[in-house]
Amino acid sequence: MEKKFDSIVVGGSISGLLCAREISKFGLSVAVLEEDYEVGTPEHCGGLVSLEGLKQLGIIPSSKAILTEVNKAKIVSSNQGFEVCTNREKIIVLDRRELDKQVAFQAQKLGSEIRTRSLVMSVNYDSSKKEFKIKTKDNIYYSQFFIDARGITSLINNHTRDGVLQSAQYEIYADWIRPNEILVKFDKEKYPDFFAWIIPSGNGKGKFGVAGRKINPLQTVESFIESFGSKYSIIRKIYAPVWIGGPLKKFVFDNTVIVGDAAGQTKPTTAGGIFSCGMGGILGGNHIALNKKSMIKSLGIDYEKEWFSIFGKEFQRMLFFRKIMERLDNKSIDAIFSIISDSDILEISRSANFDFHSFALSKILGSKKAIKLISTLLGNEFRHLLN
Ligand SMILES: Cc1cc2nc3c(=O)[nH]c(=O)nc-3n(C[C@H](O)[C@H](O)[C@H](O)COP(=O)(O)OP(=O)(O)OC[C@H]3O[C@@H](n4cnc5c(N)ncnc54)[C@H](O)[C@@H]3O)c2cc1C
């Protein structure tokens, strides 16, 4: 079967669905092609997000989509640790299977066509007709715009592997899981260049995850879980890479618009992307629609400029903090955690912003004492990084 649309979005997750929703708002035709059988499934996400961030994405999550709330974050290294209270903002844990379906419904109500079980096998551009030809096993689609929302697969296939870390997350049931409390555990030897985490998911459940460079994610996540207790039941296992390499320099190539994970729009510190990737989808979609309606001339410059004006500096700071953390060993991280003052912790609890957390990082790594320690530990390398 052959079909024509103004735009085709490949990838029916948060960024692709929000992009389609925005395009549909302007009355343009758009189809979302998703390879999986069901939107939101399998769930490759911890689901940790701020309610404010979701609001900015135009989403009020249904009660079914909210698994639980979080009010405390415990950050630990091998021998030190501190706790931050997150009550200033409402941080929730989402069921991404439910949330993505909710966004799919928003998009579909506005006119988007969502097609699951539609693995896109090829995308070709005919410059004489100014048209994309997009093939799935059963259909051929034609469109003026192609939106690449294929997630990290797209980055791995088309760009670079440097920013990719292996990761695994098990959702388990155990009576020893602390409700409403996130745990972030740094250990350079076990989780090189990243960390392990626990995100509570309500009713005695929790998502236990690890990511790191050159790790065996399965073995690493299982020994992380077992370090807490041997009595637990595994409900769900996922293995998925995460991207920590920062955004691509360009998100638009002629009429190809890249959004979300595919554009590297995940936070380089935590690989969290619901908010920043979702914003990529919204801004990309808006600009496609405005460009089609001849209300803006430059699709690329406008979308890129807007996304970078919101996230550019923040992501640069995160990349800087990441570079420092990558160079510190367990002893040095212990030393930095040991000098964090109670007043810094209080200020982080009072003022930190979940979606723009470089402020919190600057409190931890940017205090006079910490800078002195880091420059002693890293010497010339630190001056190099600062430059
Ligand atoms: C283990 C883990 C935990 C995470 N935890 C959090 C968290 O707690 N908070 C947070 O904010 N972020 C988290 N993230 C990141 C977040 O999940 C992503 O940033 C976000 O889902 C990116 O959305 P996206 O739409 O850009 O891409 P994706 O969600 O990756 O979606 C890409 C979609 O494209 C489809 N697709 C790919 N290729 C094709 C093709 N050829 N044809 C058709 N369809 C195709 C895929 O099936 C998929 O549905 C986590 C990620 C991982 C891996």
Side-chain angles (χ1 to χ4, degrees):
M1 218 176 78
E2 299 199 348
K3 265 206 126 185
K4 232 176 179 155
F5 290 87
D6 292 315
S7 303
I8 297 284
V9 179
V10 182
S13 181
I14 191 77
S15 63
L17 292 166
L18 285 170
C19 187
R21 185 190 76 185
E22 296 308 298
I23 295 171
S24 293
K25 273 187 190 163
F26 289 83
L28 306 181
S29 62
V30 51
V32 180
L33 307 177
E34 167 54 47
E35 65 181 337
D36 286 322
Y37 285 74
E38 194 180 322
V39 166
T41 305
E43 182 188 51
H44 287 139
C45 192
L48 199 63
V49 73
S50 76
L51 208 57
E52 177 54 34
L54 283 182
K55 212 165 119 192
Q56 288 185 45
L57 299 177
I59 307 167
I60 299 167
S62 67
S63 54
K64 247 169 114 185
I66 302 179
L67 296 174
T68 192
E69 272 183 41
V70 164
N71 49 38
K72 201 197 273 179
K74 211 169 170 180
I75 322 287
V76 299
S77 57
S78 20
N79 288 308
Q80 294 288 332
F82 58 95
E83 283 181 11
V84 178
C85 163
T86 59
N87 277 342
R88 194 189 71 83
E89 340 170 62
K90 202 158 181 176
I91 309 295
I92 54 170
V93 182
L94 288 170
D95 182 332
R96 279 290 302 272
R97 287 154 299 168
E98 287 300 329
L99 183 91
D100 287 17
K101 286 189 184 70
Q102 205 186 320
V103 181
F105 187 56
Q106 285 183 334
Q108 187 257 323
K109 256 175 53 180
L110 289 160
S112 306
E113 280 190 34
I114 294 154
R115 302 183 169 209
T116 54
R117 218 185 157 193
S118 299
L119 168 71
V120 168
M121 296 188 306
S122 69
V123 178
N124 291 300
Y125 188 61
D126 182 337
S127 51
S128 62
K129 292 186 187 157
K130 294 197 169 163
E131 193 173 68
F132 286 96
K133 185 178 183 184
I134 297 173
K135 274 191 188 171
T136 63
K137 192 168 154 257
D138 304 317
N139 296 305
I140 299 177
Y141 297 87
Y142 296 94
S143 69
Q144 186 184 346
F145 297 101
F146 156 55
I147 295 99
D148 182 356
R150 286 175 292 184
I152 198 166
T153 331
S154 174
L155 277 171
I156 294 173
N157 291 342
N158 301 329
H159 300 279
T160 162
R161 283 168 184 268
D162 283 357
V164 180
L165 298 182
Q166 295 311 314
S167 139
Q169 182 181 270
Y170 286 10
E171 187 164 14
I172 69 167
Y173 175 83
D175 55 11
W176 40 264
I177 293 174
R178 288 169 176 262
N180 315 109
E181 182 180 304
I182 314 166
L183 177 83
V184 173
K185 183 170 171 54
F186 290 93
D187 186 325
K188 278 296 280 227
E189 276 144 38
K190 292 181 183 157
Y191 327 113
D193 295 353
F194 211 76
F195 50 80
W197 66 89
I198 304 175
I199 300 173
S201 51
N203 301 321
K205 289 176 290 166
K207 302 178 190 187
F208 285 61
V210 297
R213 218 173 280 281
K214 294 185 184 153
I215 59 167
N216 176 331
L218 187 145
Q219 271 173 13
T220 315
V221 78
E222 289 183 0
S223 59
F224 176 54
I225 297 170
E226 269 149 32
S227 69
F228 292 89
S230 53
K231 214 172 154 221
Y232 61 88
S233 310
I234 299 173
I235 301 165
R236 192 173 293 114
K237 294 181 178 183
I238 58 163
Y239 305 102
V242 292
W243 176 257
I244 43 101
L248 298 180
K249 285 198 175 76
K250 274 171 72 61
F251 303 150
V252 178
F253 299 87
D254 298 320
N255 281 4
T256 298
V257 176
I258 313 174
V259 298
D261 260 10
Q265 292 168 346
T266 34
K267 293 177 195 166
T269 42
T270 61
I274 297 173
F275 176 57
S276 47
C277 289
M279 282 307 285
I282 289 181
L283 296 173
N286 264 311
H287 285 100
I288 288 170
L290 292 174
N291 183 257
K292 174 88 182 158
K293 299 234 158 192
S294 306
M295 288 159 80
I296 54 162
K297 281 200 192 95
S298 179
L299 184 65
I301 292 170
D302 288 316
Y303 162 37
E304 284 153 8
K305 205 168 122 189
E306 282 205 31
W307 191 91
F308 279 102
S309 78
I310 304 171
F311 297 106
K313 279 205 178 121
E314 176 69 12
F315 272 48
Q316 252 174 24
R317 286 187 205 116
M318 287 183 186
L319 282 165
F320 175 69
F321 289 129
R322 152 161 291 287
K323 277 186 191 152
I324 293 180
M325 287 302 280
E326 278 175 3
R327 282 158 177 79
L328 299 173
D329 59 14
N330 278 348
K331 263 191 174 168
S332 322
I333 299 174
D334 278 342
I336 288 169
F337 281 11
S338 72
I339 55 170
I340 299 171
S341 68
D342 288 346
S343 65
D344 281 341
I345 292 173
L346 204 66
E347 214 182 322
I348 294 172
S349 300
R350 273 202 204 120
S351 328
N353 179 333
F354 180 83
D355 296 309
F356 296 88
H357 61 225
S358 69
F359 168 80
L361 293 173
S362 69
K363 283 276 145 212
I364 299 164
L365 296 172
S367 71
K368 267 190 190 157
K369 273 188 184 168
I371 290 179
K372 207 169 155 196
L373 187 64
I374 293 167
S375 54
T376 315
L377 292 167
L378 300 183
N380 278 340
E381 214 181 345
F382 184 52
R383 275 183 283 283
H384 232 63
L385 283 174
L386 283 175
N387 287 336

